[in-house]
Amino acid sequence: MSDWSEHYATRVSNMQASEIRELLKLLDQPDIISFAGGIPDPALFPHQAIAAAYQRILGDPERSAVALQYSISEGYLPLREWLAGYMGRLGVACTPENILITNGSQQALDFIGKLFLSPGDTALVAWPTYLGALQAFNSYEPRFDVLPGPDTNRSLESYTAGGMAKPKFGYVMPEFQNPTGTSLSLAERERLLDTAAEFDLPLAEDSAYEKLRYDGERVPSLLALAAARAGGIDHCKVLYCGTFSKSIVPALRIGWIVAAKPVIQKLVLMKQASDLHVSTLNQMVMYEVASALIEDLADTMRQVYRERRDAMVAALDRYMPEGVSFTRPEGGMFVWVTLPEGIDGAALLKRCIEVGRVAFVPGAAFFADRSCRNTMRMSFSLIPPAKIEEGIKRLAAVLKQMISETAV
Amino acid sequence: MSDWSEHYATRVSNMQASEIRELLKLLDQPDIISFAGGIPDPALFPHQAIAAAYQRILGDPERSAVALQYSISEGYLPLREWLAGYMGRLGVACTPENILITNGSQQALDFIGKLFLSPGDTALVAWPTYLGALQAFNSYEPRFDVLPGPDTNRSLESYTAGGMAKPKFGYVMPEFQNPTGTSLSLAERERLLDTAAEFDLPLAEDSAYEKLRYDGERVPSLLALAAARAGGIDHCKVLYCGTFSKSIVPALRIGWIVAAKPVIQKLVLMKQASDLHVSTLNQMVMYEVASALIEDLADTMRQVYRERRDAMVAALDRYMPEGVSFTRPEGGMFVWVTLPEGIDGAALLKRCIEVGRVAFVPGAAFFADRSCRNTMRMSFSLIPPAKIEEGIKRLAAVLKQMISETAV
């Protein structure tokens, strides 16, 4: 094999295989109960509505010619128009010119890194945060530091000490955060916006799980709150990332960014240079399916996932040994578990796969500095309640064994 | 509006709206004959076969559950297996592990820039070259210099004079190049490989128009030649970019990269961080359509586009005034026209739209330094022969008027 290392850009040294990716391969072994995924249940996909939409569009010669041809980088206009209305119902007054269609929200995160980060710039993220965001931003060679949050109070000076430039943006998932499942209250959101205003810090708001609320009251998005403060979306510095991956299906790869028009104009150029546009046909299908069904689908999903969340929390309550704590999320797909000090999530996983035939994601992967090894992310979205209980029971047994050995 | 300029990464200053993009908007005015596009004729799309494939896949509950779910970043295995066979028939022995599926070949170009280019690095491109490649690479803040080609003989020292680092890669479209329509002969390919070996220079080979050969004999790809020299694809330094956009349809957004395994492994990580994967469903559909129909479709396309190429060359011969030269491409979608010195392609376009109701792309956009303003790119792919003649006739009339004014 040739040696490629000297040919690569410096960013390539940041690109490492991810634990989640390797773990996803475990899903194929039928006797393993995997809480690793964090993917939606395909039984809830609107298969027939999607098939019917493809058939309608491809069966109409005029629409089919449009659907299969190159199209504009901004995204399919009727979909952006519908999204503008949808965002309006969420308290964000905007127009299609405030919206870019992306290949899922992962591409939105990549674009946000590409827009803001030169090598050595500082990006602020939660500690822990979404692994995919760390991967996306890492391509642009940033330093990571801790975004001020409910438990962190930081002055601007604390970031710029030693001659560092001020942070370029903050990334936050205010609802049912991946990996912890926790949400920011209204007061916490207002405080974050205060901090962002003080720092003149753009915020990237990732709302991937927004439709999956099982309890409690909806809280306005950071974008809605910031636009209200600034007198309109074009005057505020929040970029909102939405996706149909969790509310309809992932595999059409459709997400969107909502932001001030000048930002969207730059992102449209970025989209054009990156891959021209999202599949025209898939955008047309998603427009038809989302505009007709999104609320009904969300109702069904909430019902199914709520039961699974309940089952997971109940099983953790029932089986987990003393010294283990976990979140009780109001929505989303994840529970975050903190193990006793000294128990390594990765070591536990290895043992769980070998002995218990149960899997999860060790928490260290979600920290920019890989700290906090005694944590784990558990997804309940894909597993029926009875199997959730069985999986947690197995996991707890392995954990208890490990704790007893560690104590010795 | 807020001021965003100080928030942006340095690369954003490279992102400018493209002429092609603005021009594409002209296609919507029905009285304009536009040679600007460079897009396939939707009348040639296999609408029914595509509709049937979506229906088959979504109508099978088991396949539909896979088609609508997240999938691996490498791409759909049966599609990669089929592509490995397809590449084998083109003289490139490879396995699915040598292939990454991308969102069209535009994403392949973006990834190649991301893989090789740190700010200030040198990328070698043809002069002129594909505008989309310049846009893709520009995001990574390179310098551009001239790739050695049929008319350019450069020593490695000429690139590294003044302490510059040696070039990171060369980008080349050996077949029916966008924008010139010209191809590299076998001898020219061998010479380019000699130079690349001497420079230890990876090459990115863009084969977008490979299936659209109307005359002459097929020449082996740079990848095939380099693999033969090196004793296998894993030992050579050519990255081959393929796409279904020109041979099937653009809007499913499916292309591929073929390269040595260690490179593909890095690119898979890049794909995962960028947007996870290409639409699973679209990959499954493309696998079915391409494996059944690609050769038949190419036969039809070649027949239709050959007539149009012939019509354009004949009309240019017939109508263009003295002092105008143009290429006679053996394939692809473009003829490249060189105007008399002092005639500006952009000024001519403006007049052509206003007076002649005919459009093309001024050639300067295809030069990394925007030089050679007396050039233009003419696409024949979308226009029937009679209308091609009419358009060239109108264009020639405007041009003659302009030449006569310039001479005065």
Side-chain angles (χ1 to χ4, degrees):
Chain A
M1 299 257 180
S2 301
D3 179 21
W4 287 86
S5 54
E6 69 177 285
H7 295 297
Y8 291 146
T10 53
R11 72 174 59 81
V12 174
S13 62
N14 286 352
M15 296 179 184
Q16 303 298 335
S18 105
E19 289 86 345
I20 284 195
R21 181 184 165 66
E22 296 306 311
L23 285 167
L24 277 173
K25 296 176 183 168
L26 301 175
L27 294 179
D28 287 342
Q29 301 181 30
D31 68 321
I32 286 195
I33 299 177
S34 176
F35 302 118
I39 62 181
D41 187 338
L44 302 173
F45 293 163
H47 297 273
Q48 287 179 3
I50 289 174
Y54 276 107
Q55 216 51 13
R56 268 196 308 278
I57 292 163
L58 294 171
D60 173 341
E62 207 167 307
R63 294 178 77 197
S64 184
V66 172
L68 298 177
Q69 185 59 284
Y70 285 115
S71 60
I72 58 172
S73 301
E74 288 86 341
Y76 181 57
L77 183 58
L79 179 60
R80 286 185 294 130
E81 286 171 340
W82 180 80
L83 279 168
Y86 175 81
M87 293 302 300
R89 292 188 290 282
L90 295 179
V92 176
C94 65
T95 73
E97 289 71 42
N98 293 113
I99 299 173
L100 171 73
I101 306 296
T102 57
N103 299 335
S105 58
Q106 186 67 31
Q107 187 174 52
L109 300 179
D110 177 59
F111 282 8
I112 285 169
K114 207 171 187 176
L115 185 71
F116 290 124
L117 295 173
S118 292
D121 279 349
T122 300
L124 303 187
V125 298
W127 227 258
T129 191
Y130 170 49
L131 173 58
L134 294 175
Q135 291 177 315
F137 303 153
N138 249 331
S139 301
Y140 306 102
E141 302 175 82
R143 296 170 57 251
F144 290 107
D145 207 334
V146 181
L147 181 73
D151 311 317
T152 39
N153 198 3
R154 292 274 301 260
S155 68
L156 182 53
E157 290 67 34
S158 74
Y159 292 108
T160 58
M164 296 298 302
K166 77 185 174 85
K168 292 302 290 286
F169 72 96
Y171 166 74
V172 61
M173 201 183 278
E175 248 107 34
F176 329 124
Q177 192 218 21
N178 182 351
T180 62
T182 54
S183 305
L184 295 182
S185 68
L186 181 60
E188 287 162 350
R189 291 173 199 220
E190 295 285 9
R191 206 177 313 137
L192 179 56
L193 289 175
D194 291 343
T195 304
E198 184 198 335
F199 292 13
D200 190 21
L201 182 77
L203 291 177
E205 173 176 33
D206 184 342
S207 78
Y209 302 93
E210 195 270 338
K211 299 228 57 95
L212 302 182
R213 175 176 284 281
Y214 318 132
D215 308 314
E217 286 289 308
R218 214 190 143 263
V219 183
S221 65
L222 289 166
L223 178 59
L225 297 170
R229 287 180 178 207
I233 180 178
D234 288 320
H235 305 286
C236 79
K237 294 189 176 175
V238 175
L239 291 78
Y240 175 102
C241 308
T243 178
F244 293 114
S245 294
K246 307 304 193 283
S247 57
I248 312 264
V249 293
L252 271 58
R253 306 305 303 127
I254 301 185
W256 65 95
I257 304 179
V258 190
K261 286 189 196 78
V263 172
I264 294 296
Q265 286 160 9
K266 286 295 180 195
L267 291 171
V268 168
L269 296 177
M270 196 178 282
K271 179 70 182 165
Q272 189 181 29
S274 296
D275 60 3
L276 302 183
H277 61 82
V278 173
S279 167
T280 325
L281 175 57
N282 286 7
Q283 292 186 75
M284 292 169 81
V285 166
M286 190 55 90
Y287 163 62
E288 296 209 354
V289 174
S291 60
L293 292 179
I294 194 166
E295 298 306 335
D296 291 348
L297 285 168
D299 281 345
T300 308
M301 285 185 186
R302 283 190 288 259
Q303 197 179 319
V304 171
Y305 292 146
R306 181 189 289 114
E307 272 185 27
R308 294 176 184 179
R309 190 267 327 254
D310 291 345
M312 180 168 279
V313 168
L316 288 166
D317 270 331
R318 180 163 173 195
Y319 294 107
M320 278 292 150
E322 214 175 323
V324 172
S325 62
F326 51 90
T327 58
R328 294 166 192 269
E330 290 188 321
M333 297 186 169
F334 306 106
V335 172
W336 179 250
V337 179
T338 305
L339 303 164
E341 287 283 348
I343 298 291
D344 183 304
L348 178 61
L349 173 64
K350 192 159 177 289
R351 182 89 70 96
C352 276
I353 292 173
E354 285 166 12
V355 181
R357 305 305 280 163
V358 56
F360 55 86
V361 182
F366 301 96
F367 295 87
D369 60 358
R370 303 290 167 122
S371 60
C372 294
R373 301 188 61 84
N374 62 323
T375 51
M376 56 192 205
R377 190 193 73 175
M378 311 271 296
S379 170
F380 51 79
S381 58
L382 210 54
I383 322 274
K387 215 166 162 185
I388 288 177
E389 191 188 355
E390 169 63 22
I392 300 279
K393 191 174 157 185
R394 291 191 206 168
L395 195 160
V398 176
L399 174 60
K400 281 175 192 164
Q401 176 66 26
M402 203 163 183
I403 290 173
S404 73
E405 291 167 20
T406 309
V408 171
Chain B
M1 298 257 181
S2 302
D3 179 21
W4 287 85
S5 54
E6 71 178 282
H7 295 297
Y8 291 146
T10 53
R11 71 175 59 81
V12 174
S13 62
N14 285 353
M15 296 178 182
Q16 304 298 332
S18 104
E19 288 87 344
I20 285 195
R21 183 186 162 65
E22 296 307 310
L23 285 167
L24 277 173
K25 295 177 183 166
L26 301 172
L27 294 178
D28 287 340
Q29 301 181 31
D31 68 322
I32 286 194
I33 298 177
S34 176
F35 302 118
I39 61 180
D41 187 340
L44 303 174
F45 294 163
H47 296 274
Q48 288 179 2
I50 290 174
Y54 277 106
Q55 216 52 14
R56 268 196 308 277
I57 293 163
L58 294 171
D60 173 341
E62 207 167 305
R63 296 177 76 197
S64 185
V66 172
L68 298 176
Q69 185 60 285
Y70 286 114
S71 60
I72 57 172
S73 301
E74 288 85 341
Y76 181 56
L77 182 58
L79 178 60
R80 287 185 295 128
E81 287 171 339
W82 181 80
L83 279 168
Y86 175 82
M87 294 302 300
R89 292 188 289 282
L90 296 178
V92 177
C94 64
T95 74
E97 290 70 41
N98 293 113
I99 298 173
L100 171 74
I101 306 296
T102 58
N103 299 333
S105 58
Q106 186 67 32
Q107 186 174 52
L109 300 180
D110 178 59
F111 282 8
I112 285 169
K114 207 170 187 176
L115 184 71
F116 291 123
L117 295 173
S118 291
D121 280 347
T122 299
L124 303 187
V125 298
W127 226 260
T129 191
Y130 170 49
L131 173 57
L134 294 175
Q135 291 177 316
F137 303 153
N138 249 331
S139 301
Y140 305 102
E141 303 176 83
R143 295 170 59 252
F144 289 107
D145 207 333
V146 181
L147 180 71
D151 312 318
T152 39
N153 197 1
R154 291 272 303 260
S155 67
L156 182 54
E157 290 68 36
S158 75
Y159 293 109
T160 57
M164 297 297 302
K166 76 185 174 87
K168 293 301 289 286
F169 72 98
Y171 167 74
V172 61
M173 201 182 279
E175 248 106 34
F176 329 125
Q177 190 218 22
N178 182 351
T180 62
T182 55
S183 304
L184 295 183
S185 68
L186 180 59
E188 287 162 352
R189 292 174 199 219
E190 294 286 9
R191 206 176 313 137
L192 179 56
L193 289 174
D194 291 342
T195 304
E198 185 198 332
F199 292 13
D200 190 21
L201 182 78
L203 292 177
E205 173 176 34
D206 183 342
S207 78
Y209 301 94
E210 195 269 338
K211 299 226 57 94
L212 303 181
R213 174 177 285 281
Y214 317 133
D215 308 316
E217 286 290 309
R218 214 188 143 265
V219 183
S221 65
L222 289 166
L223 178 59
L225 297 170
R229 286 182 179 205
I233 180 176
D234 287 320
H235 305 287
C236 80
K237 293 189 177 174
V238 175
L239 292 78
Y240 174 102
C241 308
T243 177
F244 293 114
S245 294
K246 307 302 193 284
S247 57
I248 313 266
V249 294
L252 270 58
R253 307 303 303 125
I254 301 185
W256 65 95
I257 304 180
V258 190
K261 286 189 196 77
V263 173
I264 294 297
Q265 286 160 9
K266 286 294 180 194
L267 291 171
V268 167
L269 297 176
M270 196 179 282
K271 178 71 183 165
Q272 189 181 30
S274 296
D275 59 3
L276 301 184
H277 61 83
V278 173
S279 166
T280 325
L281 175 57
N282 287 6
Q283 291 187 76
M284 292 170 79
V285 166
M286 190 54 90
Y287 164 63
E288 297 211 352
V289 174
S291 60
L293 292 178
I294 194 166
E295 298 305 335
D296 292 348
L297 285 168
D299 281 344
T300 307
M301 285 186 187
R302 283 190 287 259
Q303 197 179 320
V304 171
Y305 292 146
R306 182 189 289 115
E307 272 185 28
R308 294 176 184 179
R309 189 267 326 254
D310 290 344
M312 179 168 279
V313 169
L316 288 167
D317 269 330
R318 179 164 173 195
Y319 293 107
M320 277 293 150
E322 215 175 322
V324 173
S325 63
F326 51 89
T327 57
R328 293 166 192 269
E330 290 188 321
M333 296 186 168
F334 306 106
V335 172
W336 179 251
V337 179
T338 305
L339 303 165
E341 287 284 347
I343 299 292
D344 182 305
L348 177 63
L349 173 64
K350 192 159 178 285
R351 183 89 71 93
C352 276
I353 291 173
E354 284 166 13
V355 180
R357 308 304 281 162
V358 55
F360 56 85
V361 182
F366 301 95
F367 294 87
D369 60 358
R370 300 293 166 124
S371 60
C372 294
R373 301 187 61 82
N374 62 322
T375 51
M376 55 194 207
R377 190 193 75 175
M378 312 272 296
S379 168
F380 51 79
S381 59
L382 210 55
I383 323 276
K387 216 167 162 186
I388 287 178
E389 191 188 356
E390 170 63 19
I392 300 280
K393 191 173 156 186
R394 291 191 205 168
L395 195 161
V398 177
L399 174 60
K400 281 174 191 166
Q401 176 66 28
M402 204 164 184
I403 290 174
S404 73
E405 291 167 19
T406 310
V408 170

